[in-house]
Amino acid sequence: MTSNDVTLYLKNLPFWEHISDDDKDLICGNLHPLHYEAGQSVHSGESNCLGALIIRQGILRTFLLSDEGKETTMFRIREGSICILSASCVLSVITFDVQIEAETECDVLLIPSAVFQTLMKRNIYVENFAYKLMTERFSDVISAVERMFFLNLQQRIAVFLIDESVAQHSTTLTLTQEQMAKAIGSAREAVSRNLKLLAKSGCIEVSRGTINILDRKQLYEIISA
């Protein structure tokens, strides 16, 4: 990756134009490109605090892990976005352990936690950005909890397919049933059964590694039923 590529990503940071040249140099001098394979752990509540991650390519999944090993996905972070929970040690509002893994192969830029903490102390724009992003992420968490409690599995699948279609800008979705099961907090076998029912009804077509949405209106009707 060239220095021009790095500069492009940094200039897209909402606070970039509001920080001093010294702080810009601090970021550039400590920025680390990292690569993660699909399924690799990025951050755990038991591990050291990484810092802020700028997603260049791929998808990160943020989830909670119970003592029994059950996973509950909170949200997923895509290319061009910033993962702030990986810098949870510098945010006083984070009082629970979160897990972050690479759902797909990922390339990220890391702003180390010590650097990010220094920036937050020096500049109100960086601090506001961090807490505003956290507020948005907690809204995602509340939405995930509401779906878990108030929608049945088929409705949750329908919501996921519509959201994923918007995110991928396509009606042909590239994902596995295992990825979907993790994303909506269900067993793969249960997801597979419901996908077969949806395919039988004619609203989707399922093939290996892809799901094609044939009737979006029918998916909305399932959600509102």
Side-chain angles (χ1 to χ4, degrees):
M1 185 172 60
T2 67
S3 58
N4 288 336
D5 293 331
V6 172
T7 301
L8 180 62
Y9 278 100
L10 294 178
K11 284 184 175 179
N12 286 330
L13 293 173
F15 56 78
W16 185 254
E17 63 181 24
H18 299 291
I19 63 177
S20 67
D21 289 339
D22 286 343
D23 284 343
K24 290 177 181 178
D25 289 341
L26 178 65
I27 295 175
C28 292
N30 291 277
L31 199 67
H32 301 295
L34 300 175
H35 177 81
Y36 295 99
E37 297 294 333
Q40 185 176 350
S41 176
V42 175
H43 170 83
S44 170
E46 299 177 352
S47 67
N48 293 330
C49 184
L50 265 180
L53 297 174
I54 304 171
I55 316 302
R56 293 181 51 235
Q57 180 180 345
I59 303 173
L60 295 182
R61 184 174 72 97
T62 302
F63 61 98
L64 299 177
L65 183 64
S66 72
D67 292 338
E68 294 77 26
K70 184 177 180 180
E71 299 178 2
T72 300
T73 298
M74 297 193 294
F75 51 83
R76 298 151 80 226
I77 311 170
R78 299 174 182 272
E79 179 180 343
S81 299
I82 299 175
C83 179
I84 200 72
L85 283 179
S86 48
S88 56
C89 60
V90 304
L91 300 168
S92 59
V93 296
I94 305 299
T95 58
F96 55 90
D97 291 339
V98 296
Q99 315 289 323
I100 304 171
E101 74 169 14
E103 183 173 285
T104 66
E105 189 173 350
C106 291
D107 289 303
V108 305
L109 296 172
L110 168 66
I111 304 176
S113 57
V115 172
F116 198 74
Q117 186 172 37
T118 298
L119 294 171
M120 287 179 63
K121 290 179 178 178
R122 287 182 183 177
N123 194 294
I124 189 66
Y125 287 99
V126 180
E127 184 179 39
N128 285 346
F129 163 78
Y131 285 107
K132 180 177 182 292
L133 187 57
M134 280 307 308
T135 300
E136 293 173 356
R137 294 309 181 201
F138 278 125
S139 295
D140 293 336
V141 172
I142 295 301
S143 296
V145 171
E146 287 177 339
R147 289 195 293 269
M148 289 290 292
F149 278 98
F150 301 115
L151 298 181
N152 61 39
L153 180 55
Q154 194 164 100
Q155 289 173 317
R156 281 155 50 200
I157 289 174
V159 169
F160 176 84
L161 291 175
I162 291 172
D163 288 347
E164 192 69 10
S165 177
V166 173
Q168 294 192 24
H169 307 289
S170 175
T171 56
T172 301
L173 311 181
T174 304
L175 76 162
T176 66
Q177 294 181 22
E178 181 67 27
Q179 287 174 327
M180 183 184 297
K182 285 186 175 183
I184 65 176
S186 182
R188 189 194 63 79
E189 294 78 7
V191 169
S192 179
R193 285 195 300 271
N194 279 272
L195 287 175
K196 289 178 181 177
L197 292 174
L198 291 174
K200 188 176 181 179
S201 71
C203 61
I204 65 170
E205 182 181 51
V206 181
S207 57
R208 185 175 180 85
T210 62
I211 298 174
N212 188 27
I213 297 176
L214 303 177
D215 190 339
R216 186 185 297 266
K217 181 181 177 182
Q218 190 175 347
L219 290 178
Y220 278 112
E221 289 174 350
I222 290 171
I223 296 169
S224 59

